[in-house]
Amino acid sequence: MTTPGTDTTPATPSKRAVVTGASSGIGAATVRALIADGWAVVGVARREDRLAELAAETGCDYVVADITDKDSVTAAITAITALGPIDALVNNAGGALGIDRVDSADLDLWERMYDLNVIGTFRITNALLPALRETAGSIVFITSTAAHEPYEGGGGYVASKYAERVAARTMRLELVGEPLRVIEIAPGMVHTEEFSLVRFGGDKSKADSVYDGVPNPLTAGDIAESIRWSLSMPPHVNIDSLVVRPVAQAAYTKTHRVTQN
Ligand SMILES: NC(=O)c1ccc[n+]([C@@H]2O[C@H](COP(=O)([O-])OP(=O)(O)OC[C@H]3O[C@@H](n4cnc5c(N)ncnc54)[C@H](OP(=O)(O)O)[C@@H]3O)[C@@H](O)[C@H]2O)c1
């Protein structure tokens, strides 16, 4: 309800966040959640059509970039910082490739996962650090429960997510004394449209089977809300590590499934 005479123009967003992997899943949901909470947001991903749709829906800015490509990140940093101060970076771009045992793994896939989940993440983090220092900003890493516990078939993904988590913890040690926050959100099973599809190289039936019979896996919105909440805490509060799982999942390898007859 509006009061006559009250200025109904939306308030100018007071803070700006950069969200990587904004073209789908958790990243897109995070853009929506932060914008609803009054943030200005810059979405980053490779697929421009998806980012343009999200911008039309939410009013976010976007920058097309491949975080595994040095030149692409350099150009993206120029475009992002031209938009104004940056108060938060949400490192969400990432993913899993394959489900092979360690002894028969396709190590090229391991290399690609390390390049994306670790090198790409820290390439953009390090490049935005000077801007984040200017605002006493926050850096959020979307790792995984795979960064906390191994599982069979997860070797390459687990190794890259452990590496991301440990490098983020190292960074927190190195930044102590500065007012920057380093936050980890570690999701369990989140039913997003593309995560498992990417993992299984586009095989939809294999991707769908990941969620078969699981009552209420997490949604992208559940993780987006955890991110929004961690950023909304007073600036002296650092949510070091938040593990978020669906109730049906006690561990990666201990998931309740309802069998259908
Ligand atoms: N879904 C789960 O169950 C789950 C559980 C735990 C942790 N996570 C983590 O949560 C994050 C998001 O997962 P999600 O489920 O939302 O997956 P998703 O839907 O597959 O989203 C991945 C995002 O990363 C972007 N991306 C991939 N490679 C990129 C690159 N080289 N440069 C820039 N952007 C890139 C993709 O966009 P473009 O293809 O347009 O570049 C996409 O927007 C990932 O880090 C994942 O490891 C997911």
Side-chain angles (χ1 to χ4, degrees), residues 21 23-24 26 46-47 66-67 92 143 157 161 187-188 190 192:
S23 62
S24 67
I26 294 169
R46 293 167 302 178
R47 284 171 295 174
D66 178 344
I67 66 166
N92 164 76
T143 62
Y157 181 58
K161 284 290 180 177
V190 190
T192 56

Side-chain angles (χ1 to χ4, degrees), residues 129-161:
L129 198 56
L132 289 159
R133 281 195 160 109
E134 294 283 319
T135 59
S138 303
I139 309 164
V140 183
F141 292 89
I142 309 307
T143 62
S144 172
T145 50
H148 293 248
E149 54 190 338
Y151 60 87
E152 290 150 278
Y157 181 58
V158 163
S160 70
K161 284 290 180 177

Side-chain angles (χ1 to χ4, degrees), residues 74-163:
T74 304
I77 299 302
T78 305
I80 291 167
T81 50
L83 293 167
I86 303 297
D87 300 277
L89 166 64
V90 180
N91 281 310
N92 164 76
L97 297 170
I99 193 86
D100 306 319
R101 288 167 54 99
V102 171
D103 58 11
S104 53
D106 177 343
L107 296 179
D108 291 341
L109 294 183
W110 283 36
E111 208 167 288
R112 281 174 53 198
M113 285 187 277
Y114 198 88
D115 206 22
L116 174 60
N117 297 331
V118 188
I119 309 290
T121 295
F122 284 92
R123 180 175 286 123
I124 193 156
T125 301
N126 291 351
L128 279 179
L129 198 56
L132 289 159
R133 281 195 160 109
E134 294 283 319
T135 59
S138 303
I139 309 164
V140 183
F141 292 89
I142 309 307
T143 62
S144 172
T145 50
H148 293 248
E149 54 190 338
Y151 60 87
E152 290 150 278
Y157 181 58
V158 163
S160 70
K161 284 290 180 177
Y162 263 78

